[in-house]
Amino acid sequence: MMASFGQGSRRHPRSRGRTWSRTGPDRATLAIVGVVCAVAGFFALGIVLGPVAAVCGWLAMGRTWAGSRSVPAVVAVVLGAIDTLLALIGLIGATTPGHGMF
């Protein structure tokens, strides 16, 4: 028997509290996106991409420091924090009188 469009969800509705799985590819994808944003933030738009990387890494870790953590998620949080800090130091250095940071 072949299922047609719209018929599968009527027979087996999902429970109210569960709309997607919080394990597996969702967390891995968020961690990879966070690492990519952190690395790209070192070259351009660090003030924007740094916090994005940190948030993606934090969500990939499951919003907690306890338990098992994936390495890309921790790398995304750490690099995102470093990226944001360096961008803020660069902005503060650019606003002081003189020639900037260097």
Side-chain angles (χ1 to χ4, degrees):
M1 176 171 148
M2 294 186 62
S4 62
F5 292 110
Q7 298 297 325
S9 63
R10 290 184 187 164
R11 285 186 228 146
H12 304 290
R14 292 184 175 190
S15 63
R16 255 194 238 183
R18 191 184 72 126
T19 55
W20 69 87
S21 173
R22 281 290 189 185
T23 59
D26 292 335
R27 287 186 178 179
T29 303
L30 273 175
I32 297 300
V33 167
V35 170
V36 168
C37 285
V39 171
F42 282 114
F43 301 105
L45 293 174
I47 196 69
V48 175
L49 293 175
V52 168
V55 168
C56 285
W58 181 255
L59 291 175
M61 287 192 314
R63 292 180 267 171
T64 182
W65 286 105
S68 64
R69 297 179 295 267
S70 67
V71 173
V74 175
V75 169
V77 170
V78 171
L79 287 181
I82 292 171
D83 194 15
T84 303
L85 184 65
L86 288 176
L88 287 175
I89 289 172
L91 283 175
I92 291 170
T95 58
T96 59
H99 298 294
M101 204 163 105
F102 296 107

